[in-house]
């Protein structure tokens, strides 16, 4: 009986080992001596001239802002910075309407009420022309990294 019991225990231990699947484990390993070198590109300004050409008569544009739109343009309750922001917004809108690069001799009138604001801008729409000056070709920029983008 003892032999039968020992053979039963031996069979119980061998059977799971015999039924176990063979596992194959693979590893992929790669190495390189190359290293990443980060750099900060810089741009060197090249002096150049550009002419300004007024493209029309003096314009007058009135821009209305609701109280909600005005509140989005108020900068930290700083009156001067808010006015600068409103001026920049008026130039942005006006240059888009007249398809110009800048407004020459711009004057502004601001009216701020409980209902919003009215910004009036007066000036001459103009564009930049003759980049490089008097028919000269534009100077070529020197690249920081000539292999960049290849």
């Amino acid at each position: 009986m003892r032999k039968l019991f020992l053979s039963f225990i031996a069979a119980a231990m061998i059977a799971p080992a015999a039924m176990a699947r063979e596992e194959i484990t693979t590893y992929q390993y790669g190495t390189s001596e190359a290293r990443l070198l980060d750099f900060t590109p810089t741009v060197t300004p090249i002096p150049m001239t550009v002419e300004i050409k007024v493209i029309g008569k003096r314009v007058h544009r009135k821009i209305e802002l609701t109280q909600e739109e005005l509140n989005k343009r108020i900068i930290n309750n700083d009156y001067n910075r808010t006015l600068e922001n409103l001026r920049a917004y008026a130039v942005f809108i006006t240059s888009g309407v007249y398809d110009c690069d800048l407004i020459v001799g711009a004057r502004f009138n601001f009216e701020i009420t409980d209902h919003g604001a009215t910004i009036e801008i007066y000036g001459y729409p103009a564009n930049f022309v003759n980049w490089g000056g008097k028919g000269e070709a534009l100077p070529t920029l020197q690249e920081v990294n000539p292999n960049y983008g290849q």
Side-chain angles (χ1 to χ4, degrees):
M1 175 89 154
R2 186 175 179 159
K3 278 186 173 187
L4 183 62
F5 181 70
L6 287 175
S7 42
F8 180 70
I9 289 182
M13 291 174 60
I14 294 174
M19 290 192 293
R21 289 183 275 164
E22 184 177 325
E23 277 190 42
I24 299 174
T25 304
T26 60
Y27 296 96
Q28 291 184 349
Y29 177 76
T31 186
S32 173
E33 291 300 315
R35 297 291 178 251
L36 179 63
L37 175 64
D38 289 331
F39 70 96
T40 304
T42 57
V43 176
T44 304
I46 298 172
M48 65 184 312
T49 59
V50 63
E51 295 177 20
I52 296 172
K53 179 181 179 184
V54 174
I55 58 173
K57 295 183 178 183
R58 184 172 178 230
V59 296
H60 171 228
R61 183 90 182 147
K62 187 183 270 190
I63 300 164
E64 303 279 341
L65 297 175
T66 65
Q67 186 63 42
E68 184 179 322
E69 291 170 329
L70 176 63
N71 288 340
K72 292 177 183 177
R73 288 173 172 58
I74 293 175
I75 300 177
N76 297 332
N77 294 322
D78 185 337
Y79 183 75
N80 291 329
R81 289 181 62 202
T82 299
L83 285 180
E84 286 298 318
N85 191 28
L86 292 174
R87 279 175 47 127
Y89 179 70
V91 170
F92 171 73
I93 294 296
T94 305
S95 64
V97 169
Y98 293 100
D99 194 27
C100 62
D101 295 324
L102 67 152
I103 306 294
V104 177
R107 289 187 309 124
F108 298 89
N109 183 35
F110 299 96
E111 184 180 339
I112 299 174
T113 65
D114 293 336
H115 305 291
T118 302
I119 308 166
E120 289 182 277
I121 180 172
Y122 303 85
Y124 297 89
N127 283 325
F128 295 117
V129 294
N130 293 333
W131 289 86
K134 299 188 182 171
E136 299 172 13
L138 288 175
T140 58
L141 297 176
Q142 297 178 355
E143 295 183 30
V144 174
N145 181 357
N147 297 320
Y148 183 73
Q150 289 184 356

